[in-house]
Amino acid sequence: MKFATIKEVSQMKRLLATLLAMCIVLSVPFARAEEDGPLTPYADTVVVEMMMSDDPNVPFFNGETQDENVVEKFFRDYLNIDFQAKWLIDSTKYSEQLNLAINANTLPDMFVASKGQVANMAEFGQIADLTDVYERYISDSAREVLEFQNGVAFQPVTINGRIWALPLPNDFSDEITVMYIRKDWMESLNLEAPKTVDDLIDMAIAFATKDPDGNGVDDTFGIATDAGLNYIAELIGHPLGAYRGIWMAKDDGALEFSNVKDEYKEMLRIVNRLYHAGGIDKEFAVKDINSMANDIAQGKCGIYPGSFWAIYWMLNMSMGNQIEAEWQAYPVIARADGAYQPRALDTTYRWLVVRNGYEHPEAAVKAINLWQEMWQGQYAAEYRALYSKDSGYDTDVKYYSPIFFDPPYKNVEKAAAVKKAIETGDASGLNEEQLVMYNNYLKALENGNRQAAWQAETDIAVFHILKDDYQLNFRYSDFNGPTTAVMSELWPMVNQVTDVATHEIIMGEPDQVDARFDQYVADWYAAGGNELTKEVTAWYAENVK
């Protein structure tokens, strides 16, 4: 398959827009079609059967269900689209069940898929080409969100110059690391926030050896991490120029996997030192992120490198369990030149697709347009009222929606706006979502709710770091193309090589780091890294370079 460049796609978009404009002028049918705009409801109800995810953590009220609820009704009322569950799948088995449906070619009308699944279905003609309906129906505000960073989210699903799926992006900050530190532990040991890697190492070891919680028991360690090095690799690696799990272009135009670079070896050398000094959990290699979160909640560690959502999960549990706990957010350690460029992952890992042959593929675009207006636009006040204190819905009803996404810069803009409103006392410029955060913060202060006030303050602080310290300057992977059959086959094997070697390097003897890393690099290329490198480099040469 030949992958179109972003430039080629843009040229095709402009050509298509010109042709459509000519048709509108020259033909009566297109003149009538012009009345059918991005948010025009259907005259007759359009039924869309979907494969929906059933998450037991999402509660429903008043007898509602995933496909019959207050948010789904919004789509019926405003677009006359009736989303129905063809299958309601356990959220932990969604991808597995979708693969079975793909193999059996028993697809629903519309569903969410991964980029690998999209590429596979496009190759075998199972899904609709959405290029024309996207250009015909997408609203300006939704286009701005979906085409964030020059349309990077379309790259993995643009094949032979055609768009086969629509991105459902997340806030860009989902995987961008900041450094959370127990300020109360720092103060108990008379320490200051680390400015260098050596400062960080010293603090981590002090938290492990000097009884920072004052209970007289040797029960603490420095930095929380898990078997996948979430997110100590980003914390230690950033000042070294080491990145985890991305492809990086070399001077000759070839791509190189970041985990096999020398900078990554130096990051592992420091983690090895921390492991042997007690600076990280000795059992990290058998822990997933949930086990790590439990350690944080139990007050076992004093440094957590993580994203903004940690405020609402493990750090919040820690604050609830230890009344003295005071977590504070800081930037990761800067590079030698004082600048920052932390790793950021793709903003999108879900794409909306339509079964080939479905009568109304444009319904996917219209649904996206309406969600944008519900979430951030003209219907936001009405949507927010669905889960106000008087609505009876004690949950984020976003997860009731058949489709949802976040504008990539939503949280940065929200934090800045709420911070300004708090400082000035003027909330008149806030949108509906921002106003909810502002009012909740004032209520927390009024009621003496320490945790709720801390969450709002720390949320604002984190996005201040991303905007003002990091300057929204992030390091993305240089490969963002479709998942090929070769990749699907080889990634599991090379990932296994990486996992084994990473743990052995960290837990092994310090004088064996170089030799074991060299062996890892050789094994990685032999296990499929050579073929992967050729695949991604070919895509990069054709689409980016």
Side-chain angles (χ1 to χ4, degrees):
M1 293 183 289
K2 181 181 184 297
F3 308 121
T5 66
I6 293 297
K7 180 178 180 181
E8 289 171 337
V9 171
S10 297
Q11 290 172 338
M12 286 186 283
K13 287 179 180 179
R14 288 194 292 270
L15 176 59
L16 178 62
T18 301
L19 291 173
L20 283 174
M22 292 171 61
C23 291
I24 289 170
V25 172
L26 296 175
S27 73
V28 173
F30 270 94
R32 288 197 296 268
E34 187 182 16
E35 299 170 5
D36 183 16
L39 291 169
T40 303
Y42 292 97
D44 298 317
T45 301
V46 169
V47 175
V48 178
E49 291 188 334
M50 291 193 72
M51 182 173 182
M52 294 184 176
S53 178
D54 183 20
D55 187 341
N57 296 315
V58 177
F60 288 94
F61 304 90
N62 307 317
E64 293 184 337
T65 62
Q66 190 69 59
D67 67 344
E68 189 71 36
N69 60 66
V70 67
V71 180
E72 192 274 334
K73 184 175 182 295
F74 221 101
F75 289 88
R76 278 184 277 137
D77 290 346
Y78 282 89
L79 290 176
N80 205 12
I81 296 177
D82 182 10
F83 287 102
Q84 299 180 3
K86 181 174 183 177
W87 295 301
L88 192 58
I89 305 298
D90 182 330
S91 58
T92 63
K93 299 178 180 178
Y94 182 93
S95 183
E96 174 186 343
Q97 292 299 313
L98 178 55
N99 284 334
L100 291 175
I102 292 170
N103 292 335
N105 200 26
T106 56
L107 298 173
D109 301 329
M110 194 181 301
F111 52 98
V112 174
S114 70
K115 63 181 181 180
Q117 290 166 331
V118 171
N120 182 40
M121 290 184 289
E123 182 177 359
F124 290 99
Q126 293 176 289
I127 55 177
D129 179 344
L130 299 178
T131 311
D132 296 339
V133 293
Y134 176 76
E135 288 298 334
R136 173 69 182 83
Y137 288 96
I138 194 68
S139 68
D140 290 342
S141 58
R143 182 191 292 274
E144 183 178 355
V145 172
L146 269 57
E147 297 185 13
F148 174 70
Q149 288 187 320
N150 298 317
V152 66
F154 282 98
Q155 286 183 346
V157 294
T158 299
I159 303 170
N160 296 327
R162 309 299 291 178
I163 295 170
W164 297 92
L166 305 177
L168 301 176
N170 299 290
D171 185 279
F172 80 101
S173 57
D174 263 5
E175 295 292 328
I176 297 173
T177 303
V178 299
M179 177 170 52
Y180 299 100
I181 304 177
R182 284 279 298 263
K183 185 181 177 184
D184 54 307
W185 283 18
M186 282 200 298
E187 291 174 347
S188 73
L189 300 180
N190 295 315
L191 298 174
E192 295 182 354
K195 301 294 185 185
T196 67
V197 173
D198 287 338
D199 291 342
L200 178 61
I201 293 170
D202 291 344
M203 175 178 284
I205 294 173
F207 282 173
T209 61
K210 295 186 177 180
D211 193 24
D213 58 3
N215 67 355
V217 180
D218 182 13
D219 60 352
T220 60
F221 54 89
I223 305 173
T225 191
D226 63 8
L229 300 192
N230 297 303
Y231 292 89
I232 195 171
E234 285 63 57
L235 176 64
I236 303 295
H238 179 264
L240 306 175
Y243 296 93
R244 178 173 61 116
I246 66 173
W247 291 93
M248 305 177 70
K250 299 192 296 183
D251 291 341
D252 62 1
L255 297 190
E256 183 177 24
F257 192 54
S258 59
N259 290 44
V260 301
K261 292 170 65 70
D262 286 344
E263 293 87 349
Y264 200 78
K265 175 178 69 175
E266 296 310 310
M267 181 276 294
L268 292 176
R269 192 189 309 279
I270 292 174
V271 179
N272 170 279
R273 176 182 169 187
L274 287 167
Y275 174 83
H276 288 286
I280 64 171
D281 183 7
K282 292 284 188 179
E283 298 179 354
F284 84 95
V286 295
K287 291 190 174 181
D288 61 14
I289 195 167
N290 294 299
S291 299
M292 178 188 67
N294 189 52
D295 287 338
I296 297 170
Q298 293 180 15
K300 292 184 178 181
C301 69
I303 304 169
Y304 176 59
S307 185
F308 79 94
W309 43 255
I311 301 167
Y312 302 96
W313 183 15
M314 59 275 286
L315 303 186
N316 188 49
M317 292 193 297
S318 171
M319 297 279 286
N321 292 339
Q322 295 94 40
I323 191 64
E324 72 282 359
E326 185 179 358
W327 288 93
Q328 188 159 322
Y330 300 88
V332 294
I333 307 300
R335 300 185 309 202
D337 62 1
Y340 296 92
Q341 194 181 37
R343 183 195 70 160
L345 299 184
D346 300 337
T347 62
T348 302
Y349 54 86
R350 300 177 304 126
W351 285 264
L352 186 65
V353 296
V354 176
R355 173 179 57 82
N356 192 15
Y358 177 61
E359 185 179 359
H360 293 286
E362 77 286 346
V365 186
K366 288 191 174 189
I368 281 175
N369 294 337
L370 181 58
W371 174 254
Q372 172 64 13
E373 297 305 319
M374 293 162 62
W375 195 226
Q376 297 283 303
Q378 61 180 308
Y379 302 131
E382 187 175 350
Y383 171 73
R384 301 290 171 199
L386 298 179
Y387 59 97
S388 68
K389 64 179 181 179
D390 301 320
S391 69
Y393 293 93
D394 185 22
T395 188
D396 184 350
V397 296
K398 173 175 77 173
Y399 299 105
Y400 288 12
S401 182
I403 62 103
F404 63 87
F405 55 85
D406 277 332
Y409 279 142
K410 181 201 72 170
N411 285 327
V412 160
E413 293 168 352
K414 178 176 69 173
V418 174
K419 180 175 185 289
K420 182 179 179 181
I422 291 171
E423 291 171 347
T424 64
D426 179 7
S428 61
L430 301 182
N431 66 27
E432 291 298 325
E433 184 184 15
Q434 294 162 357
L435 191 59
V436 169
M437 181 179 182
Y438 175 77
N439 288 333
N440 286 344
Y441 175 66
L442 295 184
K443 184 187 299 183
L445 292 181
E446 180 182 347
N447 297 337
N449 188 331
R450 166 180 172 265
Q451 280 183 253
W454 169 84
Q455 282 183 335
E457 292 165 353
T458 308
D459 186 291
I460 290 171
V462 167
F463 287 101
H464 175 81
I465 289 170
L466 269 55
K467 183 178 181 182
D468 294 342
D469 291 296
Y470 296 171
Q471 294 288 303
L472 299 179
N473 179 33
F474 306 116
R475 184 56 165 97
Y476 291 90
S477 178
D478 288 325
F479 173 76
N480 196 43
T483 300
T484 66
V486 170
M487 295 175 190
S488 297
E489 177 184 354
L490 295 180
W491 269 121
M493 290 183 280
V494 296
N495 284 342
Q496 177 66 18
V497 170
T498 294
D499 292 344
V500 171
T502 297
H503 295 163
E504 290 182 354
I505 290 168
I506 291 172
M507 295 186 290
E509 294 301 319
D511 62 359
Q512 294 300 306
V513 169
D514 289 293
R516 184 63 185 90
F517 187 83
D518 290 345
Q519 184 61 54
Y520 156 60
V521 173
D523 293 344
W524 187 88
Y525 279 111
N530 280 316
E531 290 83 354
L532 289 172
T533 301
K534 291 176 184 177
E535 289 264 320
V536 298
T537 297
W539 176 89
Y540 184 77
E542 187 171 354
N543 292 276
V544 180
K545 186 180 176 183

